[in-house]
């Protein structure tokens, strides 16, 4: 479904991501793990058209999307839930969800999807008319995920969905992400919590200083001595 071939992404002249290749198959949940500063966010931003490629190629459903405007990438069915749950703080919960559907015109479909979102996230329905900025961190994260789903994407990019959440909410967030995948949405998720990321994924890639240094199934990665030593506490 998604294929990155030798992509390099720079800030100014400095490459933050070098020769990264990875693939995500339809229906897979793939994770991208690595320490702070490894290039995970940069990779996702390049995929969704927020950063230009210095080299390499990205294809989504066999269409080249490298250097494609973010809006066009979204229109192809690839939604991005950014790091730090960037909801629109002044807008209500409902308005934030509507923003997620801004490229759609099927009013009935949008209304139906909103109902499904409320089934999954009852807290959002309770707070529908509240400004998003007044929600708790966990609620804002749910809203950010729900907003991405409102575009009815074929695939979602999730950047550190568990960052800064209380432990019980971390678990809930991962459950929701597993559910999203079970319903047929392909997921590429960035996560610093390597253990959780490897336990829930089909396959994973480890980034170190902008390069892929390990790849494999979740189970293979959990058994990899380098990963155990550096990312799983021995
Ligand atoms: N806007 C930016 N301008 C310059 N350098 C940046 C910018 N954003 C990130 N970087 C650098 O790019 C590298 C990768 O960052 P990032 O992709 O955010 O890593 P991660 O998401 O894995 O923590 C880091 O060295 C970081 O300092
Ligand atoms: Mg990041």
């Amino acid at each position: 479904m998604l294929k990155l071939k030798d992509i390099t992404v720079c800030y100014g002249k400095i490459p933050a991501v070098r020769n990264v290749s990875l693939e995500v198959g339809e229906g897979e949940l793939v994770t991208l793990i690595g320490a702070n500063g490894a290039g995970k966010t940069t990779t996702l931003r390049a995929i969704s058209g927020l950063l230009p490629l210095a080299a390499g190629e990205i294809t989504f459903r066999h269409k080249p999307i490298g250097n494609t405007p973010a809006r066009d990438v979204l229109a192809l069915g690839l939604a991005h839930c950014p790091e730090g749950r960037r909801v629109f703080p002044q807008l209500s919960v409902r308005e934030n969800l509507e923003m997620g559907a801004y490229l759609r015109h099927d009013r009935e479909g949008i209304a139906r999807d909103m109902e499904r979102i409320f089934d999954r996230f009852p807290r959002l329905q309770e707070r529908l008319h509240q400004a998003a900025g007044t929600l708790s961190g966990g609620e804002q994260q749910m809203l950010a995920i729900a907003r991405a789903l409102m575009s009815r994407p074929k695939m979602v990019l999730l950047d550190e969905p568990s960052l800064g959440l209380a432990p019980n909410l971390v678990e809930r967030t991962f459950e929701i992400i597993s559910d999203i995948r079970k319903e047929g949405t392909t997921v590429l998720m960035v996560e610093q919590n390597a253990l959780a990321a490897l336990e829930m994924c089909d396959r994973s890639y480890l980034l170190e200083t902008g390069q892929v240094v390990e790849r494999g199934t979740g189970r293979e990665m959990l058994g990899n001595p380098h990963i155990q030593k550096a990312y799983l506490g021995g």
Side-chain angles (χ1 to χ4, degrees), residues 27 65 74 114 117 146 181:
I65 57 161
L74 179 63
M114 220 176 269
I117 296 246
R181 189 275 292 274

Side-chain angles (χ1 to χ4, degrees), residues 41 83 159-160:
T41 294
E83 193 174 4
D159 197 345
E160 306 261 15

Side-chain angles (χ1 to χ4, degrees), residues 35-42 83 159-160 163 190 192:
N36 204 5
K40 305 180 298 297
T41 294
T42 302
E83 193 174 4
D159 197 345
E160 306 261 15
L163 195 69
V190 161
Q192 267 193 58

